[in-house]
Amino acid sequence: MARGSTRPTSRDVAQAAGVSQAAVSLVLGDKWRGRVSEATAERVREAARDLGYRPNLAARNLRLGRTRTVLLVVPALTTEFFAGVYTGAARVAAEHGFGVVLYPSPEGIGPARDPFASAQAALDGVIASSMAADALTAIRGEALPLVMLDSDPAGSLGAATVNLDIADGVRQVVEHLLSLGHRRFLHLAADVPSWTFEVRARELAARLAGVPGTSVRTARAPISIEGAVAATEAALSVPGPRPTALVCDDDKLAAGAYKAARRLGLRIPDDVSVTGVDDLALATAIDPELTTVRLDAELFGERGMQALLAVLEGRSPEGGDIPVHLLVRGSTAPPA
Amino acid sequence: MARGSTRPTSRDVAQAAGVSQAAVSLVLGDKWRGRVSEATAERVREAARDLGYRPNLAARNLRLGRTRTVLLVVPALTTEFFAGVYTGAARVAAEHGFGVVLYPSPEGIGPARDPFASAQAALDGVIASSMAADALTAIRGEALPLVMLDSDPAGSLGAATVNLDIADGVRQVVEHLLSLGHRRFLHLAADVPSWTFEVRARELAARLAGVPGTSVRTARAPISIEGAVAATEAALSVPGPRPTALVCDDDKLAAGAYKAARRLGLRIPDDVSVTGVDDLALATAIDPELTTVRLDAELFGERGMQALLAVLEGRSPEGGDIPVHLLVRGSTAPPA
DNA sequence: GAGCCGACGTTATACGTAAAACCTAGGGCG
DNA sequence: CGCCCTAGGTTTTACGTATAACGTCGGCTC
């Protein structure tokens, strides 16, 4: 307790243990083998414990020129998907002595929309979802080591990318629905500018292009239940033969589609089949349970963090998309 | 570009502008009125812009002894409720030049379960949900300015608290159900050690204690759909007169109750009425839409941050619980 | 017995910033 | 004319840490 109520510093510990500040740093930094005697080391550790010493991170970060902290930039946290990504990333980070700070892309937070103004912390690197579009330009401006999640590998100039194999997910959905006998599709597309949604639209069109007698229309909605209800209701009300299969970019959109179908007096899956993507809790809460593409959010986060660690260590991150798989539930059946 | 590829420092800017480092600090810190001429100031700003200078936050934090960063500790981010809390807190923080770092309480992240190991950043204060129980002891050990969310005002030794008026929410639920004619209640309680859930149980019992002919049973479940299904199915299967009203601590639990009811062949609201708390997106996704107590998550976050700012400035935070209100939807009706 | 080496430390320095203390003209004022 | 004041800076210092560079002393080798 050098003076009053301020936090104890390594110098205070040194004084209490009767050694120099350098010795404290060596002992507590676990670099003392052959430099400090075991007895002295123990005295230092005891003094640190007694004083409740915690190193000043700002000072350490300044000294080392690195923070062992990375920023995870995600879109607004309105589903548990990115919670899973965080969990996976944080787990891998913790194993390597890193911390992860979360930045949910702003929805009217401050004028600057600048992740780095919010997370004042000094950072070693960034993992960013391509869905957090607003934040991306600020991120590039920082010139920090960067890993993009679900981003166009060709378009992400230099930045490493980790992607879900969503194209394969679409393939599984299409094959499932085709094998049930569906031919007229409605694509309920997320109205969000992200590569992953572009892939879904492109892949769906490509898969159906080869199959005679099929057709696909597109409706767009923001990722929210209300938005999906309106878009779906409109799309299902146009004249002509009604689509029998509704392929949604996301479980939330699918939930909206359920409500729209109910309003129109259509039954699921008898009158129309519905599929989603994500496998949120929502997917099994609604009735019938939703056939959806399960994404392993935690693995996604783990791989993202591993890629960033690789970049930080000058290694090149391992490639390979993350597999996804279709869960067939009650919302899909042969058309009437 | 003093040497190579490292980030430019204020000294680099000074050299480029032909002034001293101190002048740069004054100009960029907006403290130059009457100390530096407008022309020089402009030269400095231009040099900073050209070099892409961003101050080193570790150094600034060390120098100032404060970080203008606070930690928001929440339970695992599996609903959008805490996303709203974050948004509100971050908005108020941004208005005061603060940043908010999110720490979702761990679910197997690292051995230490220490929020401060994860958020390596140096912190000025903490806002913590009482639901993030695992993290609380570590937080108290840090002796940082602390605001607790939904925590017992009497039991939070010294720490400021900001609470939702959940007791009033329970009152509204009970009055609504009583007025519909319900007398036999089942309380589906969240199996989470938090003051807010204790209040719900206590208030429910207290409100019914005064009404003759009423009874209430309790079932406990973790906050997840599957857990709620099992608990509800068991509770509704015991012999004797079946409860007609199911009061759930949370919308997710209510969603589980829906599924349990369906499995037992019970219709909502004809055979059993159900209420929740939160008003998640889930509440309007399920059919019928859920009667629930709406919590204003963003306001909750705003008030939490305001309270923390008050503590940091030595003011005493303003009291008063945050009002909540019941949204009556299709899941409640008179008993058969 | 000179030289060297290992064990056990200490002293000194740098990281980049903010700001206190200090310097220097030139002009106004008595 | 001597003095102070103000504008417009500069020099210096401190924040707390990690670590490179430097001592010192006893014992061992040759």
Side-chain angles (χ1 to χ4, degrees):
Chain A
M1 54 181 91
R3 47 175 187 281
S5 64
T6 57
R7 272 174 53 157
T9 72
S10 61
R11 210 175 309 273
D12 296 328
V13 175
Q15 193 177 334
V19 297
S20 71
Q21 179 267 332
V24 172
S25 183
L26 288 172
V27 171
L28 268 35
D30 219 33
K31 298 210 156 68
W32 56 281
R33 283 157 283 241
R35 319 255 291 121
V36 177
S37 71
E38 173 54 44
T40 305
E42 185 48 35
R43 231 167 54 239
V44 168
R45 281 189 288 259
E46 191 184 320
R49 217 178 313 119
D50 290 351
L51 292 174
Y53 169 73
R54 321 263 342 217
N56 180 317
L57 293 173
R60 168 179 295 174
N61 291 340
L62 173 58
R63 175 67 234 251
L64 295 178
R66 95 200 115 97
T67 61
R68 294 189 167 274
T69 299
V70 307
L71 183 72
L72 176 61
V73 180
V74 302
L77 291 166
T78 51
T79 71
E80 67 259 35
F81 178 73
F82 285 102
V85 174
Y86 170 84
T87 302
R91 174 165 42 236
V92 170
E95 287 165 8
H96 292 79
F98 275 69
V100 177
V101 155
L102 208 50
Y103 181 72
S105 181
E107 195 104 14
I109 296 173
R113 301 205 158 216
D114 180 353
F116 302 97
S118 179
Q120 303 253 7
L123 301 169
D124 279 358
V126 179
I127 304 174
S129 162
S130 72
M131 292 194 208
D134 288 346
L136 294 188
T137 54
I139 289 170
R140 310 220 80 118
E142 245 359 75
L144 278 171
L146 173 64
V147 168
M148 294 291 306
L149 301 181
D150 267 341
S151 175
D152 187 354
S156 317
L157 316 148
T161 60
V162 173
N163 293 342
L164 294 164
D165 193 357
I166 193 62
D168 187 62
V170 172
R171 182 193 59 77
Q172 294 178 53
V173 168
V174 169
E175 288 192 357
H176 170 62
L177 291 170
L178 283 176
S179 76
L180 288 173
H182 291 275
R183 290 300 177 265
R184 292 192 304 279
F185 294 81
L186 174 62
H187 179 204
L188 184 50
D191 199 8
V192 172
S194 166
W195 181 74
T196 181
F197 296 120
E198 292 170 24
V199 169
R200 291 169 207 203
R202 195 160 55 226
E203 188 71 13
L204 181 57
R207 289 283 162 190
L208 290 177
V211 185
T214 61
S215 69
V216 56
R217 293 209 307 257
T218 301
R220 291 193 173 280
I223 302 185
S224 76
I225 292 179
E226 310 79 52
V229 171
T232 309
E233 209 165 348
L236 289 182
S237 302
V238 301
R242 207 176 44 227
T244 63
L246 192 34
V247 177
C248 306
D249 270 357
D250 178 88
D251 287 357
K252 266 197 171 181
L253 293 174
Y258 272 48
K259 298 190 73 171
R262 274 203 296 275
R263 285 198 195 165
L264 294 171
L266 300 173
R267 288 174 315 161
I268 300 170
D270 311 84
D271 299 315
V272 57
S273 287
V274 179
T275 69
V277 173
D278 263 8
D279 194 31
L280 305 178
L282 186 58
T284 56
I286 54 185
D287 183 45
E289 296 191 351
L290 182 66
T291 292
T292 192
V293 177
R294 172 149 180 68
L295 309 181
D296 191 338
E298 294 200 18
L299 180 57
F300 198 28
E302 288 177 11
R303 290 282 305 276
M305 188 68 211
Q306 283 161 356
L308 184 53
L309 287 171
V311 171
L312 289 175
E313 294 168 12
R315 307 197 320 268
S316 107
E318 46 185 294
D321 290 347
I322 298 171
V324 304
H325 62 279
L326 181 70
L327 298 177
V328 176
R329 299 205 183 101
S331 68
T332 47
Chain B
M1 53 181 97
R3 50 170 184 283
S5 64
T6 58
R7 272 174 54 158
T9 73
S10 60
R11 210 175 310 270
D12 297 328
V13 174
Q15 192 177 333
V19 297
S20 71
Q21 179 268 332
V24 173
S25 182
L26 288 171
V27 171
L28 267 36
D30 219 33
K31 299 216 155 67
W32 56 281
R33 285 157 282 241
R35 319 258 288 119
V36 177
S37 71
E38 173 54 43
T40 306
E42 185 49 35
R43 230 169 52 242
V44 168
R45 280 190 288 259
E46 192 184 319
R49 216 178 312 119
D50 289 352
L51 292 174
Y53 170 72
R54 319 260 347 214
N56 179 316
L57 293 173
R60 169 179 292 176
N61 291 341
L62 174 59
R63 175 68 235 247
L64 295 178
R66 95 201 115 96
T67 60
R68 291 190 169 274
T69 299
V70 306
L71 182 72
L72 177 61
V73 180
V74 302
L77 290 166
T78 50
T79 71
E80 66 257 36
F81 178 74
F82 284 103
V85 173
Y86 170 85
T87 303
R91 173 163 47 234
V92 171
E95 287 165 9
H96 292 79
F98 275 69
V100 177
V101 155
L102 209 49
Y103 180 71
S105 181
E107 195 105 13
I109 297 173
R113 303 205 153 211
D114 180 353
F116 302 97
S118 179
Q120 302 253 7
L123 301 169
D124 279 359
V126 179
I127 305 175
S129 161
S130 73
M131 291 193 210
D134 287 347
L136 294 187
T137 53
I139 290 171
R140 311 220 80 120
E142 254 345 87
L144 279 170
L146 173 64
V147 168
M148 294 291 305
L149 301 181
D150 266 340
S151 175
D152 187 353
S156 315
L157 315 149
T161 61
V162 173
N163 293 341
L164 294 164
D165 193 356
I166 193 63
D168 188 61
V170 173
R171 182 192 60 75
Q172 294 178 53
V173 168
V174 170
E175 287 190 359
H176 170 62
L177 291 170
L178 283 175
S179 77
L180 288 173
H182 291 275
R183 291 299 178 266
R184 290 192 306 280
F185 295 81
L186 174 62
H187 179 204
L188 183 50
D191 199 9
V192 172
S194 165
W195 181 74
T196 181
F197 296 120
E198 292 170 22
V199 169
R200 290 169 208 203
R202 196 159 54 226
E203 188 72 13
L204 180 58
R207 288 283 161 189
L208 290 177
V211 185
T214 61
S215 68
V216 56
R217 291 208 308 258
T218 301
R220 291 191 175 282
I223 302 184
S224 76
I225 293 180
E226 311 79 52
V229 171
T232 310
E233 209 165 346
L236 289 181
S237 302
V238 302
R242 205 175 46 226
T244 63
L246 192 34
V247 177
C248 305
D249 271 356
D250 178 88
D251 287 357
K252 267 198 169 179
L253 293 174
Y258 272 49
K259 297 191 73 171
R262 273 202 298 274
R263 285 199 195 165
L264 295 170
L266 301 172
R267 290 174 314 161
I268 299 171
D270 311 83
D271 299 315
V272 58
S273 288
V274 179
T275 69
V277 171
D278 263 8
D279 194 32
L280 305 178
L282 185 59
T284 56
I286 54 185
D287 181 46
E289 296 191 351
L290 182 66
T291 293
T292 192
V293 177
R294 173 150 178 66
L295 309 181
D296 191 338
E298 293 200 18
L299 179 57
F300 199 27
E302 288 177 11
R303 290 281 304 277
M305 189 67 210
Q306 283 161 356
L308 184 53
L309 287 170
V311 171
L312 289 174
E313 294 168 12
R315 308 196 320 268
S316 107
E318 46 186 291
D321 289 347
I322 299 171
V324 304
H325 62 279
L326 182 69
L327 299 178
V328 176
R329 299 204 182 102
S331 68
T332 49

